Amino acid sequence: MAVVDPLIELRDVNKHYGQLHVLQNVSLTVGRGEVVVVIGPSGSGKSTLCRTVNRLETIESGTITIDGQPLPAEGKGLAGLRADVGMVFQSFNLFAHRTVLANVSLAQIKVRGRKRDEADRRSRELLERVGLASQADKYPAQLSGGQQQRVAIARALAMDPKVMLFDEPTSALDPEMINEVLEVMQQLARDGMTMVVVTHEMGFARSAANRVVFMADGRIVEDRAPEEFFTNPRSERAKDFLSKILKH
Amino acid sequence: MDVLTDNFSLYAEGFLGTVQLTFFSSLLALALGFLMAAFRVAPVASLRAIGTTWVTVLRNTPLTLLFFAVLLGLPRFGLVLPFAVFAVIALGCYTSAFICEALRSGINTVPTGQGEAARSLGMNFGQTLSFVVLPQAFRTVIPPIGSTLIALAKNSAIAGAFSVTELLGTYKTLSELGYNIVWTFVWIAVGYLIITLSISALFNVLEKRYGVAR
């Protein structure tokens, strides 16, 4: 698909885990302001793909550029880039020894160099935005999964990222908490944030995505507008996948 | 009882010697152990190699041999220091290998996601380690570090053989003076107990305050 103003570009990316070829010549372009949802069966490489974008996973060949800059190797440059790329994890990964407020403020202070009160003010704003202003002084373990994930989103947003990566953000949540997280993500999408979302939430893919990328066995099989993909998948693999998950 | 009351100043001097040896060696061991643990988990291969070599060499060398190496070896390279300082170096370096491994085991108990989250926010290795990983690792390493420092206090007795003033060494003077050897050692043992139980108590307090709540 042609993309007007590319923010993330992956070209011919390859990666192995031992014998397993998890990413096979993967090329993907994400435009500024675009919401790209990556779906596919487990083991298809979609989480790995998401994690290569901020180099939590290294790649063996190919190129990744973000906002025109090639992904730097380990060091200062990489840290600087990661500060601009927000990431939300399946298991939330809130800092267990810090309060909610400190979780959101920590990197603002240490990485962005903001003053503590300035950082805390911004943190409270963001917590307000995800509906958790009243929980600021609690520890992560005192919150529900859905609340923790919303704090994690606020923590990533506090860095004012250019793009947000979501690695199965609702997969570890109870069904009734999934919606509160998806609503925050919907709002972000409406506000024009560039997002790459690995998920199993087809409803979210339909309503919020500009494009759906379907992965299987380490390859991108389809890359299309959501409505087209869900109503009329081209590949057998996608038809099979959709028939299995949409049956119930 | 006479042994203690007659020779109180001798005992006190020895006791103080052991306390000083233990205290300064502990500081050195904690500082070096901390540094080496950071090296061993660093993303730079050469730092990891330094850390691994440090631990392998020091943990597998008998302490007495290490004392000989430091006290007799370093002066050959023109480094002449008081024996007590040499003893602190030998004890501190030796114990740092154990501290390093205790810290590293603590670091390994912190879920990898914590470090990943920190890095994904743009923190560098040092920030990730000091603001996110180590504070959480600290809570699980309090008991093993306590044990290591107690072992250090007792190991300091070896320094006595190299004419450093410390508690165990007092027995030589006392047995020459003809005191009952059993009572001499009983009071020495009490001296060590005071030191080791104090370390235990300190680490119990630390664990109560900072330990992982279960």
Side-chain angles (χ1 to χ4, degrees):
Chain A
M1 277 195 152
V3 171
V4 189
D5 181 11
L7 187 56
I8 304 176
E9 272 192 288
L10 289 84
R11 195 158 300 154
D12 299 323
V13 169
N14 278 286
K15 182 180 179 69
H16 287 82
Y17 283 135
Q19 288 291 308
L20 184 68
H21 200 169
V22 277
L23 296 178
Q24 308 184 20
N25 287 315
V26 172
S27 295
L28 175 69
T29 309
V30 178
R32 206 178 298 275
E34 233 185 346
V35 177
V36 173
V37 168
V38 184
I39 61 174
S42 49
S44 59
K46 52 193 193 306
S47 272
T48 310
L49 177 75
C50 184
R51 289 163 57 89
T52 58
V53 175
N54 66 356
R55 211 169 183 274
L56 284 180
E57 299 283 350
T58 54
I59 58 173
E60 285 148 15
S61 66
T63 54
I64 299 177
T65 40
I66 294 179
D67 213 0
Q69 303 294 316
L71 201 58
E74 210 66 51
K76 253 202 191 110
L78 183 62
L81 175 129
R82 281 175 176 155
D84 289 336
V85 177
M87 180 143 195
V88 175
F89 299 86
Q90 181 176 352
S91 48
F92 330 131
N93 295 348
L94 292 180
F95 305 136
H97 64 305
R98 296 287 188 119
T99 61
V100 164
L101 185 68
N103 260 276
V104 185
S105 291
L106 183 65
Q108 294 184 65
I109 296 165
K110 303 298 178 190
V111 178
R112 290 283 188 236
R114 290 178 192 155
K115 296 263 187 309
R116 173 172 297 278
D117 49 344
E118 185 193 346
D120 282 348
R121 203 172 331 121
R122 173 92 175 114
S123 300
R124 287 187 195 280
E125 256 171 51
L126 286 163
L127 288 172
E128 182 78 54
R129 190 164 150 194
V130 299
L132 292 170
S134 59
Q135 314 289 328
D137 298 319
K138 289 193 178 166
Y139 282 87
Q142 296 170 289
L143 303 186
S144 72
Q147 290 173 322
Q148 289 190 48
Q149 194 61 298
R150 285 186 282 153
V151 174
I153 293 173
R155 179 176 70 175
L157 287 175
M159 304 300 287
D160 304 315
K162 294 175 185 163
V163 52
M164 288 279 285
L165 308 173
F166 293 84
D167 184 7
E168 303 204 24
T170 56
S171 299
L173 295 177
D174 288 346
E176 57 179 343
M177 292 169 185
I178 290 177
N179 276 333
E180 63 188 55
V181 173
L182 290 181
E183 270 160 31
V184 170
M185 291 166 62
Q186 295 270 17
Q187 186 58 48
L188 262 183
R190 279 196 293 273
D191 293 347
M193 174 62 77
T194 310
M195 293 161 66
V196 176
V197 184
V198 175
T199 188
H200 294 292
E201 294 302 322
M202 299 304 144
F204 177 81
R206 273 189 174 216
S207 60
N210 300 109
R211 278 158 60 204
V212 169
V213 169
F214 175 72
M215 283 188 79
D217 306 319
R219 293 173 196 279
I220 291 180
V221 181
E222 297 201 29
D223 180 352
R224 305 166 63 197
E227 219 34 59
E228 290 174 39
F229 175 77
F230 285 110
T231 50
N232 186 23
R234 284 196 200 116
S235 62
E236 283 306 313
R237 194 69 188 82
K239 279 178 197 160
D240 181 52
F241 178 75
L242 288 176
S243 73
K244 278 176 187 151
I245 56 162
L246 297 178
K247 207 177 278 173
H248 302 287
Chain B
M1 196 66 195
D2 287 353
V3 196
L4 182 66
T5 45
D6 291 356
N7 302 286
F8 191 77
S9 66
L10 185 69
Y11 266 119
E13 208 181 308
F15 180 80
L16 197 65
T18 294
V19 168
Q20 283 174 339
L21 270 179
T22 306
F23 180 75
F24 291 114
S25 306
S26 295
L27 290 187
L28 182 65
L30 288 170
L32 278 174
F34 178 86
L35 184 69
M36 289 302 151
F39 277 12
R40 290 207 72 178
V41 297
V44 184
S46 53
L47 291 183
R48 285 201 300 273
I50 294 172
T52 311
T53 311
W54 180 268
V55 168
T56 312
V57 169
L58 287 165
R59 200 169 53 164
N60 297 311
T61 309
L63 182 55
T64 316
L65 197 65
L66 190 66
F67 263 93
F68 274 116
V70 170
L71 270 78
L72 305 177
L74 290 184
R76 296 208 170 186
F77 296 99
L79 188 63
V80 183
L81 295 169
F83 269 24
V85 177
F86 275 139
V88 167
I89 292 174
L91 276 169
C93 289
Y94 177 78
T95 312
S96 75
F98 296 89
I99 299 275
C100 166
E101 290 301 88
L103 275 173
R104 198 166 65 91
S105 75
I107 288 170
N108 289 340
T109 63
V110 179
T112 50
Q114 296 283 311
E116 281 184 355
R119 285 188 288 147
S120 80
L121 289 165
M123 291 191 212
N124 60 33
F125 172 73
Q127 292 172 326
T128 302
L129 202 59
S130 47
F131 302 128
V132 176
V133 178
L134 280 177
Q136 296 184 62
F138 174 65
R139 311 192 283 184
T140 56
V141 300
I142 296 169
I145 287 192
S147 305
T148 310
L149 294 186
I150 286 172
L152 166 66
K154 295 184 291 182
N155 286 338
S156 70
I158 293 179
F162 297 88
S163 57
V164 176
T165 309
E166 53 78 50
L167 187 53
L168 183 67
T170 53
Y171 91 92
K172 277 182 250 168
T173 321
L174 293 174
S175 69
E176 275 163 22
L177 291 173
Y179 284 99
N180 182 327
I181 197 78
V182 174
W183 282 105
T184 306
F185 278 122
V186 165
W187 289 115
I188 287 174
V190 169
Y192 277 108
L193 272 177
I194 292 171
I195 295 170
T196 52
L197 290 179
S198 307
I199 299 176
S200 291
L202 172 67
F203 277 81
N204 278 335
V205 171
L206 286 175
E207 200 181 343
K208 283 228 176 66
R209 183 168 303 176
Y210 300 106
V212 185
R214 303 229 184 258

